[in-house]
Every structure is written in C-alpha cells, then in structure tokens.
Amino acid sequence: MISLEGVSSIRKTHDMLPIHSKPKLWNPSIAPNPPTFKKILPLKISSTWNENKEANESKAGRIKRLVLSNEGRTKLNTFPDREFYAYPRFVTHVDDGFIATLTDLYRERLKPGSEILDLMSSWISHLPNEVVYKRVVGHGLNAQELARNSRMDYFFVKDLNQDQKLEIEDSSFDAVLCTVSVQYLQQPEKVFAEVFRVLRPGGVFIVSFSNRLFYEKAINAWRDGTAYSRVQLVLQYFQCIEGFTQPEVIRELPSAGNSQDDKSPFSWFMKWLGLFSGSDPFYAVIAYKNFKPVYD
C-alpha cells in the first residue's frame, strides 16, 4: 500500500473517471498553469487582527515536537526500502473484512469529485468503484504495482524515508490516504507536516492500519508495540503538527472463534490489545486540516 513536480489542477477530458490500464507516470511539464483569481479587497481591519492572523497561519503545519526517539525510528532491515520493494507484490496485505470496512469509510468521508493523494500505495487503492473522483494521484515504491492500479490517473515513485519533501503545490488535494503503511515511516513527523501542507483547508487525512506488517521493515516503536500503543502513536503523529483537528479513531475489532458473542470485559480487553487471533482488526485515525467540513 501510496517528487511530484509543481502539481497543479489537471482537467479530465471525460465526465466519468477513466479506467487506465496503465496510469500515467507524473509529468509536471504537462500541467497547465494554475488558474488566477480576482482578489476582493477586504474592509479595513485592525492591524493587530491581521498580525495575529498571519502569526497563526505561519504556525500552521509546523512540527511542535518530535514523537519518536532515534531508537524508535530504527528498523531491523537497514537496507534501502527501494531494494526491499523492488519486486512487485500483487497481493492484498489485509483480509476482505478489513478492505470492506475501509471502502465503506472512504465512501462516507471522500466526496465525489475530490482530488485524492494515495500515499505509500500499491496496485489497489480500495476506493469505492461507483464513486467518481476528479483526480487520484498515487505514490509508492514500486512502479509496476502503481501502473496496475486502475483508479490512479498519475503516480510517482519516491522513498519517503530518504526524502520527505513532496514537490506538490500547497493546498492541492482534498484528501490524503495512507493504508497499512504508516508503520514503515521513519520520519513520520515530517511526512505528516507535508501532508498538512498539500491538503486544502478542510481536507482530510485518513491513516488506516491493522496488525499485519513486514516485521523487519517496521520501525522499532511500532514493531514492539501493542494495538493500543500503535493507535496512540498515530494519534501523536497528528497532534505533533500545528493545525490538524483533534484526531478521530475508528475501530472494528473482530471476534475470536466462538467468542463472537462474548462481551465480557476480559474479552473486550484482549481484543483491544490485538491478542485474539481471527480476522484482521481495523483501525483508522482521521483528522482534518484546520477544520472539519459540515456537508448538507
């Protein structure tokens, strides 16, 4: 599971989302110049108010504190990630129940016509088939996987553990997704700050994960944690960035075998820790840039 060069708005030539057998590798030279807008002069407002507004805006997106220690960022496999992901894996990394829950969440939170950036992605984005989006740009580490993704209009390959800078214009996307991949980020604070920058005001960042992982490639802070501590870790990633709304946590915890109807405190606690086997547990942490929009 998903540097752009000067991304700006690109129009589709069809009303319906085109299905690309091979989505296009991102080429900034074909992007049109960004539209210009007429400025409306505001009424005179006190200079103090303007100064406070500018000061608050300058803080937005900044990293308030580091979440991980140096030790927490380490991996067992220290070879470059590009080497590890060089061979395409055309498999799903979570079960059907997880995927169905994720697709329902996208159906609920992503408006039709949105522009979406799918970070650390692969050959499937799990977006609802019936919903038409204006543009889906994918990111990952394997070009063959990304080229197979029929929902993507464009994609680019970049190792975010080597360089966290996204060469994307500010406020370019309505939504950013990161699916079962956050556990591999060694500089999550910088990546989350970049996500904040490229989101439009009111844009949403959805980070979903389960208990599966490439053990040798997950960071130490994630690898040695519990389900509870991992949720808390992603919450802190959001909270360390100035300007994200209070994160929301969504959980779908599976029942274990015949204990489906077992609602005892012990059963609930064990499932919370991710210690029961069975289908993949679903976790998503969601926050918005500046504010959460209210739609009719």
Side-chain angles (χ1 to χ4, degrees):
M1 307 219 105
I2 340 242
S3 95
L4 293 168
E5 305 290 337
V7 175
S8 55
S9 177
I10 295 182
R11 297 181 178 176
K12 285 191 173 70
T13 58
H14 302 283
D15 293 331
M16 298 297 290
L17 180 72
I19 303 300
H20 302 293
S21 58
K22 291 186 177 180
K24 302 174 185 177
L25 185 64
W26 186 262
N27 183 354
S29 64
I30 67 172
N33 293 326
T36 58
F37 299 91
K38 294 182 180 179
K39 293 183 178 180
I40 301 177
L41 295 178
L43 296 175
K44 289 184 178 180
I45 304 175
S46 68
S47 59
T48 302
W49 187 91
N50 282 330
E51 290 171 0
N52 290 337
K53 180 174 181 293
E54 291 174 0
N56 289 333
E57 288 178 348
S58 66
K59 294 179 181 178
R62 73 179 178 90
I63 300 173
K64 296 186 289 186
R65 64 182 182 278
L66 295 179
V67 175
L68 299 177
S69 65
N70 289 335
E71 181 181 359
R73 302 176 198 274
T74 60
K75 298 183 177 186
L76 294 177
N77 183 335
T78 59
F79 290 101
D81 290 343
R82 290 288 293 272
E83 295 182 10
F84 183 81
Y85 295 101
Y87 184 80
R89 297 175 174 88
F90 296 111
V91 298
T92 54
H93 298 282
V94 282
D95 64 19
D96 291 342
F98 182 102
I99 293 171
T101 302
L102 180 62
T103 300
D104 285 342
L105 178 62
Y106 288 163
R107 186 178 289 112
E108 175 188 345
R109 299 299 179 107
L110 305 178
K111 291 186 62 180
S114 296
E115 295 186 89
I116 298 170
L117 173 61
D118 192 357
L119 279 182
M120 306 177 76
S121 189
S122 183
W123 67 292
I124 304 177
S125 291
H126 308 303
L127 294 165
N129 291 328
E130 78 280 5
V131 181
V132 178
Y133 301 105
K134 182 177 181 180
R135 176 179 58 158
V136 179
V137 176
H139 154 266
L141 280 173
N142 188 283
Q144 290 175 270
E145 293 178 359
L146 296 171
R148 183 79 69 88
N149 192 318
S150 63
R151 293 309 303 266
M152 290 179 184
D153 299 287
Y154 302 93
F155 70 87
F156 66 104
V157 175
K158 183 183 181 72
D159 185 350
L160 291 178
N161 286 330
Q162 295 293 324
D163 180 11
Q164 297 77 47
K165 177 68 175 176
L166 296 173
E167 298 300 330
I168 304 174
E169 291 182 356
D170 296 355
S171 304
S172 293
F173 292 96
D174 303 297
V176 177
L177 315 175
C178 182
T179 305
V180 295
S181 296
V182 68
Q183 61 267 30
Y184 306 119
L185 288 175
Q186 292 180 283
Q187 301 293 333
E189 303 94 339
K190 293 181 180 179
V191 173
F192 275 57
E194 278 293 279
V195 169
F196 184 92
R197 182 182 63 79
V198 303
L199 277 173
R200 296 185 176 113
V204 64
F205 186 19
I206 301 176
V207 179
S208 59
F209 53 93
S210 188
N211 56 3
R212 298 200 195 190
L213 66 159
F214 292 120
Y215 191 80
E216 69 272 31
K217 275 299 181 180
I219 62 169
N220 182 58
W222 190 280
R223 191 175 62 246
D224 295 338
T226 64
Y228 175 79
S229 70
R230 291 166 181 170
V231 170
Q232 295 303 307
L233 199 61
V234 180
L235 282 170
Q236 291 182 66
Y237 292 165
F238 277 108
Q239 292 168 344
C240 80
I241 305 301
E242 186 81 42
F244 272 122
T245 61
Q246 181 63 30
E248 171 187 0
V249 178
I250 296 176
R251 307 178 186 88
E252 292 287 341
L253 304 179
S255 297
N258 296 328
S259 65
Q260 182 173 359
D261 297 325
D262 183 0
K263 298 182 180 180
S264 67
F266 175 76
S267 175
W268 181 91
F269 181 69
M270 293 294 283
K271 286 187 289 184
W272 168 252
L273 293 178
L275 298 180
F276 273 155
S277 60
S279 57
D280 294 339
F282 177 89
Y283 302 95
V285 185
I286 305 169
Y288 295 80
K289 178 176 179 175
N290 301 138
F291 63 89
K292 181 178 179 179
V294 177
Y295 302 111
D296 295 334

